[in-house]
Amino acid sequence: MSIPARAAITAVHGYVPPDLLTNAELARMVDTSDAWITERTGIKERHILKGTGLGTSHMAAEAVRGLLEKTGTAPRDVDLLICATTTPDMQFPSTANLICDMVGVRNVGSFDVQAACSGFLYSLTIAAQFIANGAARKVVVVGADKMSSIVDYTDRATCVLFGDGAGAVMLEPDDRGYGIIDALIRSDGSGMIHLHQKAGGSRLPASAETVAARLHYVHQEGAAVYKFAIAKMAEVSAEIMARNNLRADMIDWLVPHQANKRIIESTAERMGLPMDRVMVTIHKYGNTTNATIPLCLWDYEPRLRRGDRVVFAAFGGGFTWAGLYAQWSYDGSAASRSNGKGNGKDA
Ligand code: ACO
């Protein structure tokens, strides 16, 4: 009996802009301290995209270009490109559209997915359907956000949390049984009040008044979001484990969304996983929203082995949350060597 083709991640790449914003610099901007940020969030520094006219697409295109180069993929061979982002370059056209133009991918479907911090897992889930039904053979999924464009750097409760970055993966059919085995996407729109951007959409378009009232920034009620995030990350991980008969000792890696180190540790503890099997990059990138999960894969790629059982979990604004289970399809150390330079990162 032949195994139906599964969508497998066959390559990853990432990009973070060169400029760093450290806790020490933030402590000069608002009433905070390195000790508070480190203890409450685990973040030490984050990368910030600077430069007039550079949006999310700039970082996403860098990540996608690297991905195509690394895999020797010609732009004409890409069948579909999906961009998960909460900070699109423009209301329209989609950022995915702009990225395609920047990297030379023409005449294929491209669209954005908006599910806040769960957007990358939502996008993988969508992309996997195109592969499984035979409609596409090479799908690029990129998660990218320029959070610095919607963060209020006078609000100490949010400005310490976020950073900018992008991460991209290639999805291709795998008939050996590796790839995405199960995925769950969930939402609860009543959570909007706790985490949203008040102005700039059709409900409250931009005006001199909305700008003066500082309504174009992330509004987050941290404690309420924290409570939901802890509960839903654990719930979705438990559901993925139960549906796939996974015990903690069978899981090689947890790849959690990076919003807060305490949320990550709590999810791992509820799953019964030691922290050495959990991907953590929050200390150096902060919360890059849709980029956190692919940036984790990029950083940890040299340590991933074919057959590794990998559980993903995310929680974000909306509220949205998602879980995914995959068996890793390739030897990551060989892939980062074949890149010619390794990824030079200290996961
Ligand atoms: N420095 C110093 N003190 C601060 C800072 C800061 N940067 N920020 C807040 N505080 C203060 C508060 O003012 C408060 O003081 P008070 O007691 O005098 O009022 C105190 O610290 C405690 O505030 P809390 O909000 O209760 O702090 P908490 O320990 O909950 O940490 C945090 C805040 C880090 C934001 C946490 O709530 C959190 O991680 N929330 C979840 C974030 C998340 O998961 N978001 C979802 C994904 S993001 C997305 O989808 C876009």
Side-chain angles (χ1 to χ4, degrees):
M1 195 179 81
S2 69
I3 302 168
R6 281 190 176 134
I9 294 174
T10 55
V12 305
H13 202 70
Y15 175 80
V16 286
D19 280 296
L20 280 180
L21 178 59
T22 63
N23 289 352
E25 285 168 88
L26 281 164
R28 289 195 286 275
M29 294 157 63
V30 290
D31 181 14
T32 190
S33 64
D34 174 47
W36 192 95
I37 302 169
T38 306
E39 190 198 320
R40 306 307 291 163
T41 74
I43 303 168
K44 297 300 280 184
E45 60 189 26
R46 60 293 284 143
H47 292 250
I48 302 293
L49 179 63
K50 294 191 175 160
T52 311
L54 296 182
T56 294
S57 67
H58 171 78
M59 297 182 291
E62 289 285 344
V64 173
R65 257 188 225 107
L67 183 77
L68 298 183
E69 191 184 317
K70 186 175 183 176
T71 53
T73 305
R76 66 173 176 280
D77 292 333
V78 173
D79 298 318
L80 175 71
L81 186 143
I82 304 175
C83 177
T85 188
T86 301
T87 50
D89 281 33
M90 301 170 177
Q91 285 270 28
F92 74 92
S94 74
T95 306
N97 228 194
L98 304 176
I99 299 163
C100 281
D101 185 51
M102 292 161 90
V103 304
V105 170
R106 316 240 178 262
N107 296 318
V108 303
S110 67
F111 56 88
D112 288 357
V113 168
Q114 162 61 290
C117 295
S118 311
F120 187 77
L121 293 188
Y122 268 60
S123 299
L124 281 186
T125 306
I126 296 165
Q129 316 300 318
F130 280 87
I131 302 268
N133 68 19
R137 291 193 65 79
K138 283 185 191 291
V139 182
V140 172
V141 177
V142 54
D145 272 299
K146 182 183 171 184
M147 292 305 290
S148 61
S149 65
I150 56 166
V151 163
D152 182 350
Y153 286 98
T154 66
D155 173 15
R156 70 175 181 174
T158 52
C159 73
V160 302
L161 303 174
F162 296 100
D164 301 336
V169 301
M170 182 72 79
L171 277 185
E172 294 179 86
D174 186 303
D175 56 12
R176 301 162 302 174
Y178 301 118
I180 296 173
I181 293 166
D182 193 18
L184 289 169
I185 55 174
R186 301 274 191 263
S187 72
D188 176 358
S190 69
M192 181 274 283
I193 50 165
H194 302 298
L195 181 51
H196 60 280
Q197 181 180 321
K198 292 185 186 301
S202 57
R203 201 183 275 195
L204 188 57
S207 67
E209 290 75 27
T210 62
V211 172
R214 309 185 76 78
L215 300 183
H216 291 267
Y217 296 118
V218 174
H219 167 86
Q220 175 168 266
E221 292 155 14
V225 177
Y226 186 85
K227 209 174 81 190
F228 274 94
I230 291 260
K232 295 302 181 189
M233 292 273 286
E235 189 182 296
V236 81
S237 309
E239 203 175 336
I240 284 282
M241 287 172 73
R243 280 162 55 121
N244 296 284
N245 300 314
L246 287 172
R247 296 184 315 270
D249 63 304
M250 296 162 71
I251 298 170
D252 296 288
W253 293 104
L254 168 67
V255 193
H257 170 53
Q258 314 275 307
N260 186 316
K261 184 131 187 282
R262 290 181 293 146
I263 297 175
I264 297 169
E265 286 167 350
S266 156
T267 307
E269 192 185 327
R270 299 275 285 276
M271 292 171 71
L273 278 188
M275 283 305 289
D276 61 1
R277 282 192 265 145
V278 181
M279 295 192 188
V280 180
T281 56
I282 191 164
H283 52 292
K284 55 182 177 172
Y285 301 142
N287 181 352
T288 53
T289 302
N290 284 284
T292 63
I293 286 177
L295 282 175
C296 278
L297 295 177
W298 184 47
D299 266 39
Y300 281 77
E301 185 185 33
R303 296 170 63 184
L304 282 158
R305 299 282 169 272
R306 178 184 293 164
D308 276 359
R309 294 189 181 92
V310 187
V311 172
F312 300 75
F315 179 85
F319 294 132
T320 58
W321 58 101
L324 191 141
Y325 168 46
Q327 259 196 296
W328 198 251
S329 76
Y330 66 95
D331 180 0
S333 60
S336 40
R337 272 199 306 277
S338 71
N339 193 17
K341 46 188 184 243
N343 62 22
K345 297 178 306 310
D346 53 336

